[in-house]
Amino acid sequence: MKARLKFSKVGSMRFIGHLDVMRYFQKAFRRAEIEVSYSKGFSPHQLMSFASPLGIGLSSDAEYLDVTLEKSDSHEKMTERINAVMNDEITVKDFTILDDDAKPSMAMLSACDYMICIKPDKDNPLTDDAFAEEAVRKIKEAEKIEILKKTKRSEKIVDIKPNIYHIETDIAAFCDDTKNEYGRLEIDTSFYKPVIYCQLTAGSVVNIKPELVLEAVMQMNGFEYNPLDYQIHRLEMYADETAKKGEVHLLGSEIPCKLVPLSEFGKQEMA
């Protein structure tokens, strides 16, 4: 059977890379005596995959891990068993049994929500509420937002405006836009000052990082972008109910995207 875990990653664990997080869960499943299915062959490994792993230094309340199990307890018991052997900076927040034909979360990923915070004692203009509101207004009203996007293989100028679904300085307004409630967050917002909330295109076809939005915000207002000023925190990851694999539907598309949190997408209907 297939299952999907939603977990948070904060504190010092945000500096742990993807391969180490994968090994961490492999060991946690063994300690919790979770009956994970293994691949066949000379070097069997646990059948698991992650949706768009975080970059080093980023934190999150919504990371996703798909895993194939031999059997499972109830949602509550599985969550309790796994968390009992985990450290406090990685916590399973949701455990969902999926339909047998459910596609991997990475294949269905279409968008992500982010909260952009300023680290303590940083002299950044976005800490001024009036400046932040004006900067976001410029982003909303711009016809194009062209920025240099770099990858491992190339770099090119891209217009990221169509890929910014929502952007706000206020969490209540952002929740109204996304139709989502984020509940209690694991990140300490009294330590890190939230300044911008944004929902961006994500996935294997088009992936817009919040760093690009920040770079555009600063350039449009005549400031240099300093990546060390910010703590970026992921709030949610979504699948698009209207898209097939390889398709990207924007909010203004002829077929607009219909975003569903990955914890709900492919969820097995209870009898």
Side-chain angles (χ1 to χ4, degrees):
M1 72 177 59
K2 297 179 181 179
R4 180 166 294 152
L5 283 69
K6 178 180 180 180
F7 64 94
S8 60
K9 183 185 178 190
V10 295
S12 60
M13 293 300 288
R14 71 187 191 276
F15 298 111
I16 303 300
H18 169 57
L19 291 178
D20 287 322
V21 171
M22 182 175 67
R23 296 185 190 102
Y24 177 87
F25 271 97
Q26 290 172 344
K27 293 175 181 178
F29 289 150
R30 287 196 289 268
R31 287 195 297 268
E33 298 182 349
I34 305 298
E35 296 191 38
V36 180
S37 299
Y38 281 75
S39 63
K40 309 300 181 184
F42 292 105
S43 182
H45 58 272
Q46 294 182 8
L47 296 175
M48 63 168 66
S49 63
F50 292 78
S52 190
L54 281 174
I56 296 294
L58 278 65
S59 56
S60 178
D61 262 273
E63 296 305 285
Y64 284 92
L65 161 63
D66 293 351
V67 61
T68 304
L69 303 175
E70 295 296 316
K71 66 178 184 179
S72 172
D73 279 337
S74 67
H75 155 90
E76 294 82 5
K77 287 183 178 179
M78 292 297 282
T79 302
E80 182 180 342
R81 285 171 59 185
I82 298 169
N83 282 334
V85 299
M86 305 269 273
N87 94 36
D88 294 339
E89 294 179 339
I90 292 186
T91 303
V92 175
K93 306 185 76 174
D94 192 53
F95 180 92
T96 303
I97 298 297
L98 304 176
D99 290 331
D100 291 339
D101 60 352
K103 294 181 174 60
S105 53
M106 185 62 224
M108 305 311 298
L109 179 64
S110 295
C112 291
D113 295 343
Y114 296 95
M115 179 173 70
I116 297 169
C117 304
I118 305 297
K119 294 178 181 177
D121 303 322
K122 296 295 182 179
D123 184 19
N124 188 293
L126 286 172
T127 56
D128 180 80
D129 293 344
F131 177 89
E133 289 172 9
E134 177 64 13
V136 166
R137 183 191 66 79
K138 288 181 181 179
I139 291 289
K140 289 181 176 181
E141 294 181 357
E143 291 186 6
K144 287 186 176 181
I145 302 174
E146 293 186 332
I147 199 80
L148 181 65
K149 184 179 181 184
K150 299 178 181 180
T151 66
K152 292 180 179 179
R153 296 182 180 179
S154 66
E155 56 182 52
K156 62 179 179 178
I157 299 293
V158 296
D159 177 17
I160 64 172
K161 172 67 175 183
N163 304 107
I164 303 174
Y165 294 168
H166 301 291
I167 184 166
E168 300 286 351
T169 58
D170 177 68
I171 183 63
F174 188 65
C175 289
D176 286 342
D177 289 340
T178 63
K179 305 298 186 292
N180 199 359
E181 295 292 337
Y182 303 98
R184 186 184 70 83
L185 301 178
E186 297 297 329
I187 188 172
D188 183 358
T189 53
S190 64
F191 186 74
Y192 298 109
K193 176 180 171 58
V195 291
I196 293 176
Y197 303 86
C198 56
Q199 184 177 84
L200 309 174
T201 305
S204 56
V205 181
V206 179
N207 190 62
I208 301 300
K209 295 182 178 181
E211 291 91 339
L212 287 180
V213 178
L214 274 171
E215 189 174 349
V217 165
M218 301 310 284
Q219 286 184 8
M220 291 171 70
N221 290 278
F223 287 91
E224 184 178 350
Y225 167 60
N226 184 354
L228 298 179
D229 283 2
Y230 307 95
Q231 179 61 45
I232 297 173
H233 186 78
R234 188 143 59 189
L235 295 170
E236 188 54 271
M237 303 172 76
Y238 299 91
D240 179 3
E241 285 191 330
T242 65
K244 298 177 183 178
K245 185 177 180 181
E247 292 182 338
V248 177
H249 294 164
L250 305 178
L251 293 182
S253 300
E254 183 177 344
I255 304 176
C257 59
K258 184 179 179 182
L259 299 179
V260 179
L262 285 175
S263 55
E264 297 296 321
F265 192 79
K267 187 174 182 179
Q268 187 178 82
E269 295 295 332
M270 301 301 292

